[in-house]
Amino acid sequence: MNLDAASIREDFPVLDRRVNGHPLTYLDNAATTHTPAQVYDVFEEFYTRYNANVHRGIHELSHEASLAYEEAHDRVAAFLGAEGREEIVFTKNTTESINLVAYGLGRRLDAGDEIVTTEMDHHASLVTWQQIAKRSGATVRHVPVTSDGHLDMEVAHDLVTDDTAVLSVPHVSNVLGTVNPVEDLVDLAHDHDAYAVVDGAQSAPTRPVDVGAMDADFFAFSGHKLAGPTGIGGLYGKREILEDLDPFLFGGEMIRNVTLRNSTWNELPWKFEAGTPPIAEGIALGAAVDYLDDLGMENVRAHENDLAQYLLRELEARDFVETYGPGVGEERTGLVSFNVEGVHGHDLSSLLNDRGIAIRAGDHCTQPLHDRLEIPGSARASVYVYNTRTDVDRLLEVVDAARDDLDDYIASERYHDLIS
Ligand code: PMP
């Protein structure tokens, strides 16, 4: 079923805004998506009806808040195909989720152990495992990226060995849009008794995810990229592994018994949620996954694919534009990174902003990937459920104008004087 973007847009009043005199064209969804009324209404309801701390209280408001917060874990579990709330830890974001895993597993690593990540990892994963390796003496190895933007699976098979303790991969690259063969990678890790950690920041918002079928040991994601609020994300972990993993943060709520000398931990998932959690944000995350469930994740995937293929086809047709990642017709998500010859990504982004169009330019927290591509940065346009071909056409108009402006400038006397 096709998504009806026009009616979806009614749920997102921010899209009616004008920016610099133009209607807002929001194409920065891989960084953060907008939040529908069904999600932000949760905040008003929470703070006007049942704002209270969770878990500890006997009073009515605390009871209601606890129920709603705990049920939000159930909804996220169902959304990702987890067995139940015990397998879903609420965190701040993907970054915190990966840190939680890395600190827990990192305590078990020694010199001689290997951690395998990829050249396309986000800094959230790359930097974290780098630090864990430095502390534990383990070595990090990286699966290379091929020139057409895929993981080199042949090298991956050589890199993952019985010395590998952890394989940590992005499900979807936030620059290339590549959808990695994550089931194969998880199998590869398990064949060598290594843990498989999947960074799902760009996949959970954009396609159906079934962590059970994927068989990943851990899967990290952020709420603000899937129509939820900022300040909340999550970590799926297999129950038996989470049972065994040391907590990352300590304090109230995560304990069962405390003496002056010792403490024992609460049941899952609360063992990993120390202190007062972001309660309204957590409940709103539950509303966000409900919203996406109602749209249907298969429909979300198809809608993104349609727009991304259109954008990619149009960009590839322009000989002054270079695009990165899988080409037209190949599987990818709704983000396209590119460069316009002679125009710095920040200048393009600024020209677009003058016309109310939001994209992102820079290294997108993937400096090693940009080094691999031998470019200092890229511009990235990314769509979501409320975007239409009109949004893409507006972007293309400015890309063409940017190139024309540059040509005019190069032909101008000012430029001539400058270079002569
Ligand atoms: N991994 C990937 C693939 C991402 O795209 C992002 C966000 N750009 C992150 C991790 C980090 O997400 P957050 O900033 O929400 O922790």
Side-chain angles (χ1 to χ4, degrees):
M1 196 187 76
N2 287 340
L3 289 186
D4 179 3
S7 80
I8 290 174
R9 290 177 80 86
E10 289 171 15
D11 297 331
F12 295 82
V14 66
L15 299 174
D16 293 336
R17 258 198 74 167
R18 294 181 77 80
V19 172
N20 295 322
H22 297 270
L24 169 65
T25 302
Y26 190 79
L27 294 170
D28 191 19
N29 294 287
T32 289
T33 52
H34 283 299
T35 308
Q38 289 86 334
V39 172
Y40 62 72
D41 281 354
V42 165
F43 285 87
E44 183 172 350
E45 204 195 340
F46 178 75
Y47 286 109
T48 56
R49 304 258 329 137
Y50 63 104
N51 174 23
N53 212 324
V54 287
H55 305 319
R56 282 176 294 224
I58 305 294
H59 63 82
E60 178 61 24
L61 267 57
S62 175
H63 175 68
E64 289 178 17
S66 301
L67 215 60
Y69 181 71
E70 289 165 15
E71 278 175 359
H73 288 66
D74 298 337
R75 294 181 195 180
V76 172
F79 180 71
L80 295 176
E83 279 179 14
R85 67 172 66 159
E86 301 79 13
E87 297 190 320
I88 300 293
V89 178
F90 280 3
T91 61
K92 199 165 60 177
N93 47 34
T94 303
T95 306
E96 187 178 303
S97 296
I98 295 176
N99 272 268
L100 189 162
V101 176
Y103 277 79
L105 296 182
R107 293 177 60 149
R108 305 173 183 183
L109 302 185
D110 285 315
D113 284 324
E114 295 187 352
I115 302 163
V116 178
T117 63
T118 80
E119 277 181 350
M120 63 165 82
D121 271 51
H122 189 279
H123 295 167
S125 163
L126 202 87
V127 176
T128 305
W129 290 112
Q130 223 173 52
Q131 290 305 311
I132 294 301
K134 282 186 204 293
R135 286 173 193 199
S136 61
T139 308
V140 192
R141 305 207 178 280
H142 302 98
V143 179
V145 173
T146 61
S147 50
D148 57 355
H150 294 281
L151 287 179
D152 190 328
M153 289 299 286
E154 224 170 280
V155 179
H157 276 87
D158 291 340
L159 283 182
V160 179
T161 68
D162 288 347
D163 290 333
T164 307
V166 180
L167 173 67
S168 181
V169 293
H171 193 173
V172 168
S173 158
N174 65 314
V175 173
L176 303 166
T178 315
V179 183
N180 290 317
V182 82
E183 286 87 356
D184 295 347
L185 288 157
V186 169
D187 282 350
L188 180 62
H190 290 166
D191 284 348
H192 295 276
D193 288 332
Y195 291 103
V197 183
V198 176
D199 172 351
Q202 296 294 342
S203 64
T206 59
R207 55 193 41 249
V209 166
D210 182 343
V211 287
M214 192 188 292
D215 200 28
D217 299 309
F218 298 99
F219 181 92
F221 66 97
S222 296
H224 66 96
K225 291 185 198 284
L226 47 74
T230 54
I232 189 84
L235 176 72
Y236 156 81
K238 277 186 187 155
R239 180 202 296 242
E240 62 276 15
I241 300 178
L242 287 178
E243 296 279 11
D244 213 32
L245 197 72
D246 285 328
F248 169 50
L249 296 170
F250 301 92
E253 314 265 13
M254 55 77 66
I255 48 81
R256 188 187 305 276
N257 279 306
V258 178
T259 67
L260 284 180
R261 296 265 168 245
N262 235 324
S263 309
T264 55
W265 311 140
N266 201 346
E267 64 195 25
L268 292 175
W270 322 122
K271 163 184 164 185
F272 291 102
E273 295 190 13
T276 300
I279 303 165
E281 286 80 356
I283 299 168
L285 177 63
V289 299
D290 279 354
Y291 184 84
L292 292 176
D293 257 342
D294 285 347
L295 294 181
M297 287 310 290
E298 192 48 56
N299 301 328
V300 172
R301 191 195 62 74
H303 180 76
E304 283 216 350
N305 186 52
D306 175 58
L307 290 177
Q309 295 290 336
Y310 174 58
L311 171 59
L312 194 60
R313 216 168 33 243
E314 287 293 326
L315 289 175
E316 283 190 359
R318 288 158 168 81
D319 60 4
F320 56 90
V321 177
E322 187 174 32
T323 59
Y324 308 103
V328 173
E330 285 189 78
E331 191 181 18
R332 46 152 61 239
T333 56
L335 66 89
V336 180
S337 298
F338 61 97
N339 273 311
V340 178
E341 192 178 85
V343 183
H344 193 284
H346 286 151
D347 293 334
L348 178 68
S349 186
S350 163
L351 273 174
L352 287 161
N353 183 52
D354 289 346
R355 290 165 177 79
I357 304 169
I359 62 153
R360 189 149 295 247
D363 61 38
H364 317 296
C365 297
T366 55
Q367 284 180 16
L369 176 60
H370 281 78
D371 291 344
R372 160 72 185 86
L373 298 171
E374 296 179 9
I375 48 174
S378 55
R380 181 184 70 189
S382 50
V383 298
Y384 209 42
V385 294
Y386 33 69
N387 289 115
T388 63
R389 285 197 179 205
T390 308
D391 295 330
V392 174
D393 289 337
R394 285 194 188 132
L395 169 77
L396 292 167
E397 247 172 59
V398 180
V399 166
D400 290 338
R403 182 62 221 191
D404 291 346
D405 286 354
L406 189 80
D407 284 344
D408 288 349
Y409 177 59
I410 289 171
S412 70
E413 261 177 47
R414 193 161 148 243
Y415 182 72
H416 188 257
D417 290 347
L418 208 68
I419 59 166
S420 55

